């Protein structure tokens, strides 16, 4: 892997322009290049993120917040000339976070991000965006986001690695996903994908209504779980199913508090939006 170190987090506007211009698949191999950058945590921005995602006030960073710190690097990677797939149209299939140590007293961090594990899929090909976060003591947090690019043709059989349907869960709570949550989350995350912003922009991409960001669904779920989960040595994996159309109401079903458990996010009519599990890092 060749690493390019940036002096500061990239500006998002030019990267979005690159995303709009690139609409074709240009290859079938992932680049052997990753991006690194040092970032500082802004307490005011963290507070705004907490409010949008429902996290309680705490000296600990929200467990999903490092995704926000890494978003600029993700755009840098996915819009680079060497990256073979267009950003617009990628589908976020799953997300896995590992928290190695408590996310308290965090200020300056080093973020590194690259893509790997290109695999055939029934609808195209998948790859993983891998993010690591380090502080002065070493590895603190890491994540894998599995993405689907439709229309890519690769040799081989598609893997069947879906998470099992949760069995030992009961309804814990429920909440409304308001019509404007896509715009509010975009403001704190930088993710202005048109499918999340309004019904009008979502219809341009084949959606009848705007849909909630997958990572907002995960963040809102983990905020609701709160002290159900350990603060560290935890591996939290979710798979995104049917999108949450805006506005709508969802219900969270989960196991009891403990080091391991399952979660299930459902909508009206038992629509399955997200399944997941947490367990110690193995």
């Amino acid at each position: 892997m060749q690493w390019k170190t940036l002096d500061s987090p990239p500006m998002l506007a030019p990267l979005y322009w690159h995303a709009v211009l690139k609409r074709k698949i240009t290859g079938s191999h992932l680049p052997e290049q990753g991006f690194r950058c040092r970032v500082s945590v802004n307490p005011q921005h963290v507070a705004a993120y907490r409010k949008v995602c429902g996290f309680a006030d705490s000296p600990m960073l929200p467990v999903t917040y490092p995704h926000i710190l890494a978003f600029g690097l993700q755009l840098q990677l996915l819009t680079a000339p060497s990256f073979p797939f267009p950003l617009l149209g990628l589908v976020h299939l799953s997300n896995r976070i590992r928290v190695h140590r408590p996310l308290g007293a965090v200020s300056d961090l080093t973020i590194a991000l690259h893509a790997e594990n290109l695999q055939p899929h029934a609808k195209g090909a998948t790859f993983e965006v891998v993010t690591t976060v380090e502080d002065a003591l070493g590895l603190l947090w890491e994540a894998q986001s599995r993405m689907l690019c439709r229309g890519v043709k690769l040799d081989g059989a598609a893997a069947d690695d879906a998470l099992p349907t949760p069995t030992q869960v009961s309804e814990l709570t429920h909440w409304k996903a308001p019509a404007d949550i896509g715009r509010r989350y975009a403001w704190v995350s930088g993710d202005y994908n048109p499918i999340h912003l309004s019904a009008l922009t979502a219809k341009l991409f084949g959606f009848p209504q705007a849909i909630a960001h997958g990572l907002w669904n995960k963040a809102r779920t983990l905020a609701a779980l709160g002290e159900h989960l350990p603060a560290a040595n935890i591996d939290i994996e979710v798979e995104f199913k049917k999108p949450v159309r805006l506005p709508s109401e969802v219900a969270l079903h989960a196991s009891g508090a403990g080091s391991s458990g399952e979660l299930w996010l459902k909508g009206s009519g038992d629509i399955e939006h997200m399944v997941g599990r947490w367990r110690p890092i193995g």
Side-chain angles (χ1 to χ4, degrees):
M1 182 68 61
Q2 296 179 340
W3 292 96
K4 182 175 182 180
T5 301
L6 306 182
D7 294 331
S8 60
M11 299 291 290
L12 299 185
L15 299 178
Y16 272 116
W17 182 242
H18 292 319
V20 170
L21 293 178
K22 183 172 184 177
R23 305 302 292 270
K24 294 182 179 180
I25 296 168
T26 57
S28 57
H29 297 280
L30 297 175
E32 289 290 324
Q33 184 182 47
F35 292 92
R36 290 187 295 215
C37 186
R38 192 143 180 87
V39 300
S40 296
V41 175
N42 181 326
Q44 287 75 32
H45 189 262
V46 175
Y49 178 82
R50 286 187 195 282
K51 185 174 181 180
V52 169
C53 297
F55 285 99
D57 214 9
S58 167
M60 312 285 285
L61 279 185
V63 67
T64 47
Y65 187 73
H67 274 301
I68 306 305
L69 297 174
F71 184 69
L73 284 186
Q74 180 174 314
L75 276 190
Q76 184 82 47
L77 174 76
L78 298 180
T79 60
S82 60
F83 202 81
F85 311 135
L87 173 60
L88 293 178
L90 291 179
V91 181
H92 194 176
L93 297 179
S94 64
N95 176 263
R96 185 176 188 176
I97 291 171
R98 295 181 186 90
V99 184
H100 292 270
R101 289 180 283 112
L103 301 179
V106 174
S107 55
D108 293 322
L109 299 167
T110 298
I111 311 284
L113 190 143
H114 70 281
E116 65 179 28
N117 197 24
L118 186 64
Q119 298 287 337
H121 185 275
K123 296 181 180 179
T126 62
F127 64 94
E128 293 176 353
V129 176
V130 179
T131 306
T132 59
V133 176
E134 296 185 354
D135 62 5
L137 298 177
L139 183 62
L140 179 66
W141 181 100
E142 59 184 326
Q144 296 163 294
S145 288
R146 186 165 174 248
M147 315 296 289
L148 167 67
C149 182
R150 294 187 176 95
V152 181
K153 299 190 183 300
L154 297 178
D155 293 332
D160 183 12
D161 53 359
L163 289 176
T165 299
T167 55
Q168 304 298 316
V169 296
S170 58
E171 184 171 340
L172 180 68
T173 186
H174 58 89
W175 60 82
K176 292 182 179 179
D180 67 344
I181 197 61
R183 296 187 293 275
R184 291 170 57 204
Y185 185 77
W187 184 78
V188 296
S189 69
D191 186 351
Y192 283 91
N193 189 321
I195 64 176
H196 304 303
L197 303 182
S198 70
L200 181 62
T201 56
K203 285 175 182 176
L204 297 175
F205 293 85
F207 292 89
Q209 297 166 254
I211 63 174
H213 295 73
L215 284 178
W216 180 79
N217 291 329
K218 183 172 185 179
R220 183 66 184 84
T221 293
L222 297 184
L225 287 171
E227 295 183 359
H228 256 62
L229 307 180
N233 188 33
I234 184 171
D235 181 333
I236 310 167
E237 186 176 9
V238 301
E239 188 174 308
F240 303 115
K241 301 289 191 177
K242 297 288 186 182
V244 175
R245 296 183 179 184
L246 301 177
S248 64
E249 187 165 339
V250 298
L252 173 62
H253 300 250
S255 308
S259 60
S260 299
E262 299 174 300
L263 62 90
W264 202 358
L265 192 66
K266 294 183 179 183
S268 61
D270 270 351
I271 295 174
E272 191 176 51
H273 293 306
M274 187 174 72
V275 298
R277 63 189 179 189
W278 70 90
R279 53 192 173 178
I281 295 173

